[in-house]
Amino acid sequence: FLFQITGVALILYGLLSTYLLLLVNTEQVIKEYMTLLPSAVMVVFGVILFLIVTLGCCGICKESSRFLETYAALLLLLGLTQLVFGGYCVATYGNQDIRRDLDARIGEDIRNAVINYKEDPGKMDTIQSWVRKLHN
């Protein structure tokens, strides 16, 4: 039951972070730096975790050793996949050159939102509320 809640939490957090990234970043930054990749993978892992845990619950209810063996194997596979993806994210987004470029691009997007505030005030308001939520 706890892992089902964790799966749902991963899905919700992934969707929320995807939504915030789409609001703040331009399409070019999203495509070039694949900023949505970690959020999308988090949603996928959440769905897979929820399904695997449901399979395990069915195995426990039916007292089926085959269900439980499948559950354990899939859970192990999911854990290994998450470790590999975590390593990929650290290697990719931990690179100082990529982080500097991404910071510069996000800064440029924020400057453009400030300059073009009269044409699109919603974008700057979204950035301000996003930053306010990060500091609370």
Side-chain angles (χ1 to χ4, degrees), residues 25-35 102 105 109:
N25 293 316
T26 62
E27 185 178 338
Q28 183 179 4
V29 170
I30 290 171
K31 285 181 181 176
E32 188 173 335
Y33 293 100
M34 296 187 305
T35 54
L102 185 58
R105 294 298 291 268
D109 287 346

Side-chain angles (χ1 to χ4, degrees), residues 71-109:
Y71 167 71
L74 290 175
L75 205 56
L76 180 65
L77 182 64
L78 181 66
L80 292 174
T81 306
Q82 286 178 335
L83 285 174
V84 168
F85 183 72
Y88 168 76
C89 285
V90 167
T92 301
Y93 298 107
N95 185 340
Q96 293 300 321
D97 294 334
I98 292 176
R99 289 180 73 182
R100 271 192 295 268
D101 290 347
L102 185 58
D103 287 345
R105 294 298 291 268
I106 291 173
E108 182 181 320
D109 287 346

Side-chain angles (χ1 to χ4, degrees), residues 27-124:
E27 185 178 338
Q28 183 179 4
V29 170
I30 290 171
K31 285 181 181 176
E32 188 173 335
Y33 293 100
M34 296 187 305
T35 54
L36 293 181
L37 183 64
S39 299
V41 170
M42 189 177 299
V43 171
V44 170
F45 280 151
V47 169
I48 291 172
L49 179 64
F50 185 82
L51 294 175
I52 290 173
V53 169
T54 303
L55 176 73
C57 287
C58 292
I60 290 172
C61 290
K62 291 188 175 202
E63 297 179 6
S64 169
S65 62
R66 214 177 274 283
F67 266 96
L68 293 176
E69 289 169 358
T70 305
Y71 167 71
L74 290 175
L75 205 56
L76 180 65
L77 182 64
L78 181 66
L80 292 174
T81 306
Q82 286 178 335
L83 285 174
V84 168
F85 183 72
Y88 168 76
C89 285
V90 167
T92 301
Y93 298 107
N95 185 340
Q96 293 300 321
D97 294 334
I98 292 176
R99 289 180 73 182
R100 271 192 295 268
D101 290 347
L102 185 58
D103 287 345
R105 294 298 291 268
I106 291 173
E108 182 181 320
D109 287 346
I110 292 173
R111 276 190 296 283
N112 288 338
V114 170
I115 292 169
N116 300 323
Y117 181 71
K118 290 187 178 182
E119 288 90 31
D120 188 11
K123 183 132 181 149
M124 190 61 198

